[in-house]
Amino acid sequence: MKLSYNWLKDYLEFDLTPVQVAEAMTSIGIEVDSVEEQEEIPGGLAGVVVAEVVDCVSHPDSDHLHITKVDAGTGELLQVVCGAPNVAAGQKVLFATIGTVLPGDFKIKKSKIRGVESLGMICAKDELGIGEDHSGIMVLEPEAVVGTPAKEYLKLKTEAVIEYEITANRVDAASHIGVARDIYAYLKLNGIPCRFNMPDVSAFKEGEGSGYPIELLDSKGAPRYCGLTIKNVKVEPSPEWLQKKLMSIGLHPINNVVDISNFVLFELGQPLHTFDADKIGGGKVIVRRAAQDEPIKTLDGVERKLNANDMVIADDKRPMCIAGVFGGEDSGVTDSTVNVFLESAYFDPGSVRKTSKVHGLQTDASFRFERGADPEIVPYALKRAALLIQELAGGEIVGKIEEVYPEKIERKRIALDYDRIQNFIGKRIGADVIESILANLSYEFIEKSENGALVAAPSYMVDVYRECDVVEEILRIYGYNNIDLPQHMKMSVNATPSPEPEAVRNGISNFLAANGFVEIMNNSLTKGAYYNELKTFPAERSACIVNPLSSDLNVMRQTLILGALETVAYNLNRQISSVKTFEYGSVYQRIPGTDSAVLAGYEEHPCFTICLSGTAEKSWRNEVKKGNYFILKGYVELLLRRYGADLNQMIAEAAPEDIFSEGMSYSLPGRGPVLLTMGTVNPALARKFGIKQPVFVAEINWNTLFTLIKRNKVAFKELPKFPEVRRDLALLLDENVKYADLQASAQRAAKKLLKQVALFDVYRGDKIPAGKKQYALSFVLQDLEKTLTDADVERVMSKLLSVFTNEYGAVLR
């Protein structure tokens, strides 16, 4: 948001510089991003000076151009070709020298016009950006001093603009009055002279006759609604002072009536809306809910279909605007408008937010209403705007302010205990300081006692309900930096679980990062359409968002895999073909058969996802290597081995086909939970993300992995004193025999001596019978108490071969 320094000084008299104001704002909880000096005219007319036309003759090759000699105060006369009909010798003019950049990014260059050299330009008002007149050059009074910069001569002002951000609970600071009020409380506390002035509306007087009556059909959506009819309005451009104020904060002036609404919005923080009164049918204004699919054409020219929950301002035939969000095109103020109906209201924040998000409309009005406007300022803002319309557009007020306020919104009453407040703060600041801060923030003291008070919070403070909220306001003004740190700090020490989950997570992340993977963080909200065609993660199990920011962020993610695919696609679109990523985050699902409104019907657990796609970059050390499933599997096995887990001890089954074209899902033995699923992403799924190259993904259930890690007991023992013995077997087996089964049988048969089994070759070919395959297995044997003899080794290998033959029909090759 933007704050004009000069505009701020209309309400707060003080002597701070713009930088000091920014420092004060940051101190009281309004974060300042920047302080910029803006010229009244972009560029400040640098290079434009007062000059005198010393000589002026007609151009020999033109009937309208003139050749002039200009004195710009440099000590030499400059030849300038000028086409203005009113140029003449002896005039004082504003002259743009070579290199000057005029408004509109027009740079003055040395040129030839009809064969005559021209060394600058004598300017008209519109060329300088100070008017619309282009009938001739701007002629100055004779007393103007040659060489004076145009900025100094025209007395152009420099405007300091403070750009700042507010949190969702500080919508009261979204206006110049709101910021001025906070700074006033800060300055008063610190003894800095200042004075806070609210705009005076005492001159407001009701008119004769009666204006448009208001019929409120839904007081929940519009708890307070005021309107005023003003006739004989003259719509024209706003005066210069109003245009400059709006332009200083980045707004484009439209006309005096609309500009007044915008001015009051950024002055007081109260959104207003102005209707062309002659376009209101039926003689009354109706505040109601829209009918389902009721049409309205908004100010941006878009035809929209309304929802039954949308609040609208309507006449007897149609909606005229979407309440608190956006105006309608058919009822807006135009240059031909004569009579207006001015609206000031307090709309329900929840209703406005829903409407704004559903229709994708984020306006200055909805920004304030959905965060909570001030219900008490509604009539005041209306009077302020009405007086400005009378002053700037010559309007006449018709009747009184029409108001519908069925149930008064009471200020929140809060009991304060000063001792408890000072204990919260951590410093004895005194009851007088507490009361001074609250009084300057417009708190109303209903009762006072020796060590406390009963106060009513200001209506503009939407998030103050309890004593601790008041403490926050006191601290904000008093200054967190003014609270001394205690010499002794007390804290409780909690026992750290072993192993510590955070340390294990960091260890896994460090391992992956060390192997060239990049950590990513995707949004937990994702697109619901992703799950419409997935069986593994069906749409009906998605945790849906009630008020989504957009259709792309309308459900909680059920898996991290789709986010990984988004990341791969993002990188491929930027010519990065090799991607290695990992992510740690939670996934969410709705439990089948439960009410979606019940919190217990949802399940959440964290996962690690590892993603690999593309080829390794070619270098002088190695050739290009394409990623494949087994590279990914190698990383996963290495990771699990670090924490004492072995995939060969898991129950393996095929990975779901809607996610993977090939891959495996591993579960703990004994019908335990799924530990991980990995494989090659189904090309059909990858293509939905615009990915044409293979992608390999593994998703690890963190809770299951951590259960395994906790079971793993690390023990230390001395290195073996006796050597290992290695032997190989080549076995002819049926196709249905699995390596995992062979490994398990070998471990059972030679548990004491067998240290390792590995599969190092698989062969299928013309020398192998149909339905058969050859496995080449390696075995590592070792006795911790003695050196193995050939007889010992042969005895173990014979036993293994016998087991393989009897249990699997293996034939030694």
Side-chain angles (χ1 to χ4, degrees):
M1 302 193 69
K2 291 186 177 181
L3 180 85
S4 165
Y5 173 77
N6 291 335
W7 192 349
L8 179 70
K9 296 189 75 173
D10 290 345
Y11 317 112
L12 186 63
E13 300 175 17
F14 60 91
D15 293 327
L16 302 184
T17 65
V19 172
Q20 290 173 324
V21 170
E23 291 172 351
M25 290 172 64
T26 300
S27 177
I28 59 180
I30 304 173
E31 184 180 356
V32 173
D33 291 332
S34 63
V35 180
E36 296 181 359
E37 297 286 340
Q38 293 184 356
E39 302 286 352
E40 188 174 336
I41 295 175
L45 297 182
V48 180
V49 297
V50 175
E52 181 178 2
V53 180
V54 177
D55 186 35
C56 178
V57 298
S58 297
H59 194 295
D61 293 329
S62 172
D63 57 358
H64 68 281
L65 296 176
H66 299 84
I67 301 173
T68 65
K69 299 291 185 181
V70 175
D71 178 11
T74 60
E76 61 176 330
L77 297 181
L78 302 174
Q79 180 174 275
V80 178
V81 177
C82 179
N86 62 332
V87 64
Q91 292 175 335
K92 297 288 181 67
V93 295
L94 288 176
F95 174 68
T97 57
I98 299 296
T100 299
V101 179
L102 295 176
D105 202 27
F106 178 65
K107 187 173 183 179
I108 304 301
K109 300 177 181 179
K110 183 178 179 181
S111 62
K112 279 190 176 183
I113 302 176
R114 299 282 180 93
V116 177
E117 188 176 56
S118 183
L119 303 177
M121 186 173 80
I122 304 173
C123 302
K125 283 187 176 182
D126 67 328
E127 293 165 335
L128 296 170
I130 59 176
E132 302 295 330
D133 185 13
H134 192 68
S135 59
I137 60 172
M138 182 178 178
V139 180
L140 312 180
E141 64 274 11
E143 294 78 17
V145 179
V146 171
T148 302
K151 180 179 179 179
E152 179 182 334
Y153 175 80
L154 296 172
K155 298 179 180 179
L156 299 179
K157 294 181 180 179
T158 299
E159 173 74 75
V161 175
I162 300 172
E163 191 157 353
Y164 66 101
E165 294 180 3
I166 60 171
T167 52
N169 64 325
R170 290 303 314 280
V171 70
D172 60 286
S175 66
H176 286 74
I177 289 286
V179 175
R181 179 172 47 220
D182 272 12
I183 295 177
Y184 170 74
Y186 172 81
L187 297 180
K188 291 290 286 185
L189 180 67
N190 289 279
I192 301 174
C194 60
R195 183 177 178 180
F196 181 53
N197 303 310
M198 285 288 286
D200 184 13
V201 296
S202 60
F204 177 83
K205 289 182 174 52
E206 297 178 354
E208 297 180 354
S210 59
Y212 284 85
I214 299 167
E215 182 179 354
L216 179 60
L217 300 182
D218 193 318
S219 60
K220 183 179 179 181
R224 188 173 194 181
Y225 191 91
C226 294
L228 182 66
T229 304
I230 305 176
K231 66 179 183 179
N232 298 327
V233 171
K234 184 178 180 182
V235 178
E236 58 186 5
S238 297
E240 184 179 0
W241 69 265
L242 179 54
Q243 292 192 39
K244 285 183 177 180
K245 285 187 183 298
L246 296 179
M247 287 189 293
S248 70
I249 59 172
L251 295 183
H252 178 67
I254 299 174
N255 59 55
N256 51 358
V257 175
V258 175
D259 291 349
I260 287 169
S261 296
N262 288 330
F263 173 79
V264 173
L265 169 64
F266 287 93
E267 177 186 58
L268 301 175
Q270 171 62 27
L272 304 176
H273 189 70
T274 310
F275 301 90
D276 188 326
D278 296 326
K279 297 177 182 177
I280 301 175
K284 64 179 178 180
V285 173
I286 304 171
V287 184
R288 60 174 174 83
R289 299 280 179 180
Q292 185 63 37
D293 294 329
E294 187 173 12
I296 183 175
K297 191 173 185 180
T298 47
L299 286 171
D300 56 359
V302 177
E303 184 86 24
R304 302 179 189 275
K305 298 291 184 180
L306 299 173
N307 295 324
N309 291 324
D310 297 335
M311 287 293 297
V312 296
I313 312 302
D315 58 16
D316 65 340
K317 297 178 181 178
R318 74 207 193 288
M320 298 186 293
C321 82
I322 305 175
V325 180
F326 211 26
E329 186 177 72
D330 297 335
S331 61
V333 173
T334 64
D335 292 343
S336 60
T337 297
V338 176
N339 304 313
V340 299
F341 178 80
L342 187 60
E343 166 198 281
S344 180
Y346 173 77
F347 295 111
D348 174 61
S351 176
V352 173
R353 179 171 175 78
K354 288 178 183 178
T355 299
S356 173
K357 299 308 176 187
V358 166
H359 296 289
L361 293 171
Q362 181 69 56
T363 62
D364 288 325
S366 68
F367 177 86
R368 288 159 178 79
F369 277 130
E370 68 187 30
R371 286 164 175 78
D374 182 358
E376 292 187 7
I377 207 173
V378 169
Y380 176 87
L382 194 63
K383 293 177 182 178
R384 172 68 168 157
L387 289 173
L388 288 171
I389 290 176
Q390 282 185 303
E391 177 186 347
L392 304 181
E396 301 173 35
I397 294 174
V398 178
K400 63 178 183 178
I401 292 178
E402 299 288 341
E403 180 176 15
V404 183
Y405 196 11
E407 185 176 349
K408 185 179 180 182
I409 300 174
E410 299 290 346
R411 291 190 178 191
K412 295 175 284 289
R413 295 190 173 198
I414 305 164
L416 304 180
D417 183 310
Y418 293 161
D419 283 338
R420 187 164 56 236
I421 286 176
Q422 292 176 104
N423 287 335
F424 276 140
I425 292 173
K427 182 178 180 179
R428 309 298 294 183
I429 64 175
D432 55 337
V433 173
I434 293 174
E435 292 177 357
S436 173
I437 291 174
L438 296 180
N440 290 330
L441 288 175
S442 303
Y443 278 78
E444 178 187 350
F445 284 84
I446 300 170
E447 295 177 8
K448 287 187 179 182
S449 61
E450 184 177 348
N451 193 42
L454 177 65
V455 300
S459 56
Y460 66 80
M461 287 191 171
V462 298
D463 70 327
V464 177
Y465 296 92
R466 303 166 296 169
E467 186 180 60
C468 58
D469 299 326
V470 179
V471 174
E472 183 182 352
E473 295 300 309
I474 294 170
L475 263 174
R476 192 170 58 80
I477 301 301
Y478 184 78
Y480 288 93
N481 293 334
N482 294 325
I483 306 300
D484 301 324
L485 290 175
Q487 293 182 349
H488 302 284
M489 298 186 69
K490 299 178 181 179
M491 64 185 70
S492 60
V493 178
N494 297 323
T496 302
S498 181
E500 186 180 357
E502 188 66 28
V504 175
R505 282 199 296 269
N506 288 336
I508 294 173
S509 297
N510 290 338
F511 166 80
L512 293 171
N515 281 278
F517 288 85
V518 177
E519 185 171 10
I520 60 175
M521 294 179 66
N522 286 308
N523 200 331
S524 296
L525 299 177
T526 187
K527 186 184 298 186
Y530 286 159
Y531 302 98
N532 290 341
E533 299 178 8
L534 295 181
K535 296 179 181 179
T536 308
F537 305 106
E540 56 268 20
R541 296 198 62 184
S542 294
C544 300
I545 306 302
V546 176
N547 291 319
L549 296 173
S550 71
S551 59
D552 290 340
L553 300 170
N554 59 352
V555 300
M556 305 292 285
R557 62 189 177 191
Q558 294 190 53
T559 175
L560 300 182
I561 294 175
L562 302 183
L565 293 177
E566 286 182 336
T567 302
V568 171
Y570 183 88
N571 282 271
L572 291 178
N573 291 337
R574 286 154 182 80
Q575 310 303 315
I576 302 173
S577 59
S578 180
V579 181
K580 293 173 69 176
T581 68
F582 73 94
E583 180 177 12
Y584 173 83
S586 292
V587 296
Y588 314 82
Q589 281 190 327
R590 192 164 74 84
I591 300 173
T594 59
D595 184 352
S596 62
V598 179
L599 188 60
Y602 294 94
E603 189 267 338
E604 170 187 353
H605 67 268
C607 291
F608 262 104
T609 293
I610 306 171
C611 180
L612 179 69
S613 182
T615 58
E617 293 185 4
K618 184 178 180 179
S619 72
W620 62 273
R621 293 178 296 174
N622 58 273
E623 294 296 321
V624 174
K625 294 181 180 179
K626 293 185 178 180
N628 60 61
Y629 167 75
F630 295 101
I631 292 177
L632 175 67
K633 187 170 183 284
Y635 284 122
V636 173
E637 287 182 329
L638 187 58
L639 171 62
L640 295 179
R641 199 175 302 132
R642 285 171 61 93
Y643 295 100
D646 187 355
L647 279 185
N648 295 321
Q649 298 175 3
M650 307 297 165
I651 305 301
E653 58 183 24
E657 295 181 355
D658 56 338
I659 303 294
F660 300 99
S661 58
E662 59 179 357
M664 301 298 292
S665 181
Y666 294 89
S667 304
L668 299 189
R671 297 184 179 179
V674 174
L675 170 63
L676 70 94
T677 304
M678 63 178 171
T680 306
V681 174
N682 191 317
L685 177 61
R687 282 195 295 271
K688 292 181 179 180
F689 292 83
I691 303 172
K692 297 179 181 179
Q693 67 185 36
V695 181
F696 312 96
V697 176
E699 184 165 79
I700 305 172
N701 187 313
W702 163 253
N703 292 338
T704 307
L705 176 61
F706 192 66
T707 300
L708 281 177
I709 293 172
K710 287 196 294 184
R711 294 179 188 172
N712 182 41
K713 303 299 181 183
V714 178
F716 296 91
K717 56 185 179 181
E718 65 177 335
L719 292 172
K721 297 179 180 179
F722 304 101
E724 298 175 343
V725 176
R726 299 176 182 271
R727 290 290 187 271
D728 298 337
L729 288 178
L731 302 175
L732 186 65
L733 298 159
D734 293 335
E735 278 287 359
N736 59 358
V737 176
K738 298 179 181 178
Y739 163 69
D741 296 335
L742 296 174
Q743 184 189 41
S745 296
Q747 294 286 358
R748 287 194 301 269
K751 185 175 182 181
K752 182 178 178 181
L753 299 180
L754 184 61
K755 301 303 178 185
Q756 183 179 332
V757 183
L759 174 66
F760 66 87
D761 186 44
V762 179
Y763 177 72
R764 297 178 180 86
D766 54 357
K767 296 181 180 180
I768 301 296
K772 299 286 185 176
K773 62 185 176 183
Q774 175 185 295
Y775 273 0
L777 302 175
S778 68
F779 302 88
V780 177
L781 306 176
Q782 186 180 47
D783 193 325
L784 300 178
E785 299 176 355
K786 65 175 183 177
T787 300
L788 291 173
T789 64
D790 288 343
D792 295 331
V793 174
E794 289 302 324
R795 186 168 52 253
V796 173
M797 295 306 297
S798 296
K799 186 176 180 180
L800 290 175
L801 181 58
S802 176
V803 169
F804 295 150
T805 301
N806 295 333
E807 294 185 10
Y808 304 103
V811 176
L812 181 66
R813 285 177 59 85

